[in-house]
Amino acid sequence: MKKALTKAEFDAQEAVLRAEIVKAIEVQAAESYIPAAPENTDVFDVPAVDSKTVAKLSPMIEEKVGHKLKPSWIKKGGYASAQAAAQHVIDMLREHHYQVDQSKVVPFIQKKAA
């Protein structure tokens, strides 16, 4: 396993990582092409990016940032687009591994009162 990126390294590489996630999703989607459903039907009411496609990214994510993509982080029901899936993965990594220093964050209510 790769040594985990620091927060600063993650921040610096976030845009590149997002683009790589989008590209990987698009490649997987092309490989498992499902024809579009006829208009006005819900026969093939599937998301643009399903959760299994995102789960398959775990090895790539771990290679890039040094943290596995946990199944519980993946949105059940899928995503509307590759960009939405990539953003969610980035958000989950940030929430679980690359949080801001919470000791320096002033809660919104305190800011409003000040």
Side-chain angles (χ1 to χ4, degrees):
M1 181 163 108
K2 175 184 175 165
K3 180 181 178 274
L5 297 179
T6 66
K7 182 180 181 318
E9 291 168 333
F10 180 81
D11 290 344
Q13 296 180 26
E14 181 179 335
V16 171
L17 178 61
R18 181 180 290 104
E20 289 177 354
I21 292 170
V22 168
K23 184 174 181 172
I25 289 170
E26 289 171 348
V27 166
Q28 284 187 29
E31 290 173 357
S32 60
Y33 172 73
I34 298 174
E39 287 189 36
N40 301 322
T41 69
D42 61 358
V43 174
F44 297 105
D45 191 16
V46 294
V49 179
D50 68 355
S51 55
K52 289 180 184 177
T53 298
V54 176
K56 291 176 185 177
L57 298 177
S58 189
M60 183 199 76
I61 300 296
E62 185 175 10
E63 179 185 316
K64 299 289 182 188
V65 300
H67 293 290
K68 291 183 179 186
L69 179 61
K70 295 185 180 180
S72 62
W73 297 352
I74 300 169
K75 181 179 163 190
K76 291 180 174 112
Y79 302 88
S81 67
Q83 290 79 12
Q87 184 59 53
H88 188 252
V89 168
I90 296 289
D91 291 346
M92 291 294 98
L93 286 166
R94 187 168 296 291
E95 179 179 333
H96 294 280
H97 294 290
Y98 300 107
Q99 296 177 2
V100 295
D101 183 355
Q102 294 298 319
S103 66
K104 295 180 182 175
V105 175
V106 178
F108 180 74
I109 293 174
Q110 288 180 3
K111 287 180 184 176
K112 196 172 179 181

